Amino acid sequence: MTLSSPVTTIAEAGASPRGNSTKTGVMLVNLGTPEGTDARSMRRYLAEFLSDRRVIEWPRAIWYPILYGIVLNTRPKKSGALYDKIWNTEQNESPLRTFTRAQGEKLAATLADSGIHVDWAMRYGTPSIESVLENMLAAGCERIVMFPLYPQYSATTTATVNDKFFESLSKLRLMPSVRIVPPYYNEPVYIDALAHSIETHLAALDFEPEVVIASYHGIPQSYVKRGDPYPSHCEETTRLLRERLGWDDKKLIMTYQSRFGPEQWLQPYTDKTVEKLARDGVKSVAAFNPGFVVDCLETLEEIAGEAADIFRHAGGKNFTHIPCLNDGPDGMAVIEQLVRRELSGWA
């Protein structure tokens, strides 16, 4: 008599009842990361990322010749060189993977007494959403809380994570019950965590920034015209932070970074803003990234590196980057509170 084989595919994972006990899982999902800084790894990652219809909404007949004929032949080497600057050489991985794993491990430890199964995944790259879902089903999870790690909603981020998650679920015959953690751009625990991280960082400086910049990842203006609520979420986060910190709109300003391609993106642009501030006589600024849950290429290289250089070359003197919440106590308090809320009645 041959025993049935262990679960090996997501389809098999949902093929039969998983027993009488009800186990709950939590999946943290971040954007993604290349496996290495070499051109091949970068090309594989960029191809997956830039092929996403949520990220690039151009018709495929127009976009694919550009992507495969130009972008993927030129950008991997350039992007790899940028990743080299911030790469975690100790663990041979990007900081985004390091911090996201740490968040998953710390949340797992916090929820250990509740018997909650915690794991983490990437929308692009590995570990994939589908593979992590497969592992959770194999572990007996019949209820899953999925947490897209984006405070402000955009179709380019939160929606594409949801797409991939439900695409994976669609392959199952027996689906688990699911809950999705909603955007939390205006949640008091998130605003308090950001404010505390800013206050703590600024208190340790030997200078006082004249201007503090909240730099958010940008999206094309055309996406907003088609209904993406992202800028309104960013504006509300900034408004609540000003209120919490007691600052006006001259002390705390907001900008958008990381534009790509020929379209007009959300403005004002971060790089142009820091340059103008310096040319207008501002000598000291601080910048932080409230839309990023963990530090990554866009925060460590683009802001802490490139934006700082632009500011100083234009006549500025002091530039400091305030780290993301990462896996610190403030950041974990946000994740834990939002997860516990969604677990209510399940755990």
Side-chain angles (χ1 to χ4, degrees):
M1 179 178 178
T2 304
L3 296 175
S4 59
S5 60
V7 172
T8 56
T9 68
I10 195 164
E12 292 172 354
S16 59
R18 290 181 286 274
N20 296 322
S21 62
T22 301
K23 189 169 185 179
T24 301
V26 175
M27 183 192 302
L28 306 180
V29 184
N30 212 326
L31 177 76
T33 172
E35 294 299 305
T37 62
D38 59 285
R40 178 177 293 183
S41 297
M42 291 304 312
R43 180 184 170 87
R44 183 168 56 247
Y45 171 71
L46 290 172
E48 183 181 8
F49 176 47
L50 297 176
S51 295
D52 189 337
R53 292 177 182 272
R54 292 281 198 180
V55 174
I56 306 294
E57 295 186 0
W58 294 3
R60 302 297 96 174
I62 296 174
W63 173 234
Y64 273 5
I66 297 172
L67 175 62
Y68 288 95
I70 301 173
V71 176
L72 293 180
N73 289 320
T74 59
R75 190 158 177 173
K77 185 176 180 181
K78 293 177 183 177
S79 294
L82 296 177
Y83 268 98
D84 273 332
K85 295 180 181 180
I86 57 102
W87 202 249
N88 179 349
T89 54
E90 228 175 83
Q91 294 180 270
N92 191 28
E93 62 186 15
S94 73
L96 184 143
R97 182 190 295 275
T98 303
F99 286 126
T100 304
R101 180 197 298 110
Q103 288 173 332
E105 291 174 347
K106 290 185 177 182
L107 183 64
T110 299
L111 299 178
D113 290 344
S114 303
I116 305 296
H117 180 96
V118 178
D119 211 338
W120 56 278
M122 298 293 177
R123 170 59 184 89
Y124 313 104
T126 58
S128 69
I129 291 172
E130 184 168 312
S131 68
V132 172
L133 176 60
E134 181 179 316
N135 291 339
M136 297 181 94
L137 296 175
C141 294
E142 298 182 28
R143 296 169 173 169
I144 295 176
V145 172
M146 198 273 285
F147 193 165
L149 294 171
Y150 305 105
Q152 298 79 21
Y153 177 96
S154 172
T156 62
T157 52
T158 310
T160 190
V161 167
N162 291 343
D163 287 346
K164 200 67 178 179
F165 181 65
F166 284 103
E167 177 188 303
S168 299
L169 287 174
S170 73
K171 300 177 183 180
L172 298 173
R173 183 168 296 277
L174 175 59
M175 290 186 178
S177 298
V178 299
R179 291 177 179 174
I180 309 297
V181 178
Y184 54 99
Y185 61 96
N186 58 355
E187 291 285 350
V189 66
Y190 164 66
I191 299 300
D192 285 344
L194 287 175
H196 185 253
S197 72
I198 293 167
E199 291 168 335
T200 301
H201 184 90
L202 297 188
L205 298 177
D206 59 2
F207 65 91
E208 182 178 349
E210 300 157 68
V211 178
V212 179
I213 304 169
S215 181
Y216 298 86
H217 198 292
I219 62 173
Q221 291 181 9
S222 61
Y223 294 12
V224 180
K225 291 176 182 176
R226 288 196 282 270
D228 201 304
Y230 179 68
S232 65
H233 287 193
C234 296
E235 289 161 9
E236 182 63 2
T237 295
T238 306
R239 185 191 71 79
L240 290 170
L241 273 172
R242 288 187 185 123
E243 188 177 275
R244 166 65 173 75
L245 293 164
W247 293 348
D248 61 21
D249 59 4
K250 292 182 175 59
K251 176 71 171 182
L252 175 56
I253 65 174
M254 62 177 287
T255 59
Y256 295 98
Q257 64 181 86
S258 308
R259 62 189 184 277
F260 171 77
E263 285 195 71
Q264 288 292 310
W265 282 45
L266 293 174
Q267 297 182 33
Y269 298 138
T270 301
D271 54 355
K272 301 298 184 184
T273 298
V274 297
E275 182 178 23
K276 185 177 187 304
L277 286 171
R279 296 198 186 284
D280 288 348
V282 174
K283 295 300 180 183
S284 300
V285 302
F288 68 106
N289 300 98
F292 294 85
V293 173
V294 300
D295 278 306
C296 55
L297 185 72
E298 287 81 2
T299 68
L300 297 174
E301 197 287 322
E302 188 176 356
I303 301 302
E306 183 182 339
D309 289 342
I310 292 171
F311 180 70
R312 294 189 182 105
H313 290 161
K317 181 181 179 183
N318 301 309
F319 186 102
T320 185
H321 176 251
I322 301 168
C324 293
L325 296 176
N326 295 319
D327 62 326
D330 289 331
M332 292 310 303
V334 176
I335 292 174
E336 181 185 348
Q337 179 170 314
L338 296 175
V339 167
R340 285 191 183 279
R341 178 190 299 171
E342 297 306 316
L343 286 172
S344 179
W346 274 5

